Amino acid sequence: VGSAKPELLKNKEALSEVTQQAMILAEASKMDLNEAVRGLTISMNMYGASAQEAARYTNVLGAGAKEGAAEVDSQTQSILKSGVAAAQAGIPIEQLVGSIQALAEKGIKDEIAGTGLKSFFIKLQAGADDTNPKIVGLQKALENLAAKNMSSAEIQKQFGLETYTVAAAMIASADKVKTYTEAVTGTNTALEQAKINSQTTAARLAQAKNEFNEAGMKLVEKLNPAILSATNLTTKFIKILVELPRIISENKGLLITLASTMAIY
């Protein structure tokens, strides 16, 4: 976490907060902790967010993964490409994730979605005021674009051939962007999901422990006859060893005669 956000190394409380949120995100999304750290810190860095906002970003990413088709790693790849442009256009992380999930629903994911969104946001800012997200907001800009009923040729002319797919998908999915944005705004999804997953893990461990104990009991039950037989034989052997000196002492003459006879033979 410190290497991803070096400024946190000067503040142990802030470093601890971001680290804890990354752990929550990892547990909630059932992902590798390193990937969770990367996803959280990249998202925060794109917007210059402070440690106090770590929980907000954690829940947005967690809710996005839960509600949409793009998992945290996929969202991270998209945010890495489009985050700066979104921040400059005044588009909050919630709307950016909402846009990413709207595109993911159409199969546009990862870096492709991020690169397309970056170009889309930049060209919107360079266009008319009524479709500039920095002036009217992203949702209103999308609605105004949709109201123009632009043809494929007009969309391509305004946004370029490389950005056409993402631009057309965003315009057609204005309502989806709104739905996903609302779904990831002001939630505790990551924390709640982390608790559920943690409880599930604990329950599975308890179940496995019970099954192990039960198997052990069955094993001992089946081995009992053999164990008892071995114990009885061992007990008898020990009794013989204990009596052996006395037997040798009492039959010393007989044993010497027997040994001598065997030796002569």
Side-chain angles (χ1 to χ4, degrees), residues 237-256:
F237 181 68
I238 291 173
K239 286 181 179 179
I240 292 172
L241 288 177
V242 171
E243 293 294 323
L244 190 59
R246 182 184 62 78
I247 294 172
I248 293 174
S249 177
E250 292 177 355
N251 299 279
K252 181 168 56 177
L254 179 62
L255 290 172
I256 291 173

Side-chain angles (χ1 to χ4, degrees), residues 60-70 101 105 179-180 182-184 187 189:
V60 169
L61 292 172
K66 179 184 177 184
E67 300 293 336
Q101 293 298 347
E105 190 174 295
T179 298
Y180 283 119
E182 291 174 349
V184 302
T187 75
T189 299

Side-chain angles (χ1 to χ4, degrees), residues 21 24-25 28-29 40 53-67 72 75 93-94 97 183-194:
Q21 291 301 324
I24 289 172
L25 182 59
S29 304
L40 178 58
E53 296 180 274
R56 170 192 169 194
Y57 281 75
T58 296
N59 283 299
V60 169
L61 292 172
K66 179 184 177 184
E67 300 293 336
V72 173
Q75 293 178 85
I93 184 65
E94 289 84 357
V97 169
V184 302
T185 301
T187 75
N188 286 316
T189 299
L191 182 59
E192 292 166 358
Q193 194 62 41

Side-chain angles (χ1 to χ4, degrees), residues 6 18 33 37 52 89 107 152 184 209 228 230 248 251 256:
V18 176
L33 181 56
V37 168
Q52 286 72 26
S152 298
V184 302
K209 183 178 179 181
L228 288 173
I248 293 174
N251 299 279
I256 291 173

Side-chain angles (χ1 to χ4, degrees), residues 70-263:
E71 297 296 332
V72 173
D73 182 55
S74 178
Q75 293 178 85
T76 302
Q77 294 180 55
S78 298
I79 292 170
L80 182 60
K81 294 293 184 180
S82 62
V84 172
Q88 290 177 344
I91 299 168
I93 184 65
E94 289 84 357
Q95 275 192 321
L96 177 55
V97 169
S99 300
I100 290 169
Q101 293 298 347
L103 291 177
E105 190 174 295
K106 294 183 177 296
I108 307 170
K109 295 183 178 182
D110 308 331
E111 292 184 359
I112 295 175
T115 301
L117 283 173
K118 177 183 73 174
S119 298
F120 181 65
F121 295 150
I122 290 173
K123 291 183 179 184
L124 280 181
Q125 292 181 81
D129 288 352
D130 65 334
T131 56
N132 186 339
K134 197 164 188 176
I135 297 174
V136 298
L138 178 61
Q139 191 59 46
K140 187 62 176 175
L142 292 176
E143 291 171 359
N144 289 340
L145 280 170
K148 293 182 179 182
N149 293 316
M150 299 169 67
S151 66
S152 298
E154 289 172 328
I155 294 174
Q156 184 176 322
K157 181 179 179 181
Q158 180 171 344
F159 296 101
L161 182 60
E162 292 183 355
T163 313
Y164 169 78
T165 301
V166 168
M170 285 291 289
I171 295 170
S173 302
D175 58 334
K176 290 290 185 179
V177 172
K178 182 178 181 180
T179 298
Y180 283 119
T181 299
E182 291 174 349
V184 302
T185 301
T187 75
N188 286 316
T189 299
L191 182 59
E192 292 166 358
Q193 194 62 41
K195 287 180 179 178
I196 292 171
N197 291 343
S198 179
Q199 290 169 357
T200 301
T201 301
R204 286 179 178 172
L205 286 173
Q207 183 180 3
K209 183 178 179 181
N210 289 337
E211 290 176 354
F212 180 80
N213 289 337
E214 186 178 349
M217 291 172 66
K218 288 181 179 179
L219 177 63
V220 170
E221 185 180 339
K222 290 185 178 181
L223 289 177
N224 265 340
I227 292 172
L228 288 173
S229 297
T231 302
N232 290 336
L233 288 173
T234 302
T235 302
K236 289 178 181 178
F237 181 68
I238 291 173
K239 286 181 179 179
I240 292 172
L241 288 177
V242 171
E243 293 294 323
L244 190 59
R246 182 184 62 78
I247 294 172
I248 293 174
S249 177
E250 292 177 355
N251 299 279
K252 181 168 56 177
L254 179 62
L255 290 172
I256 291 173
T257 301
L258 180 61
S260 300
T261 302
M262 291 179 68

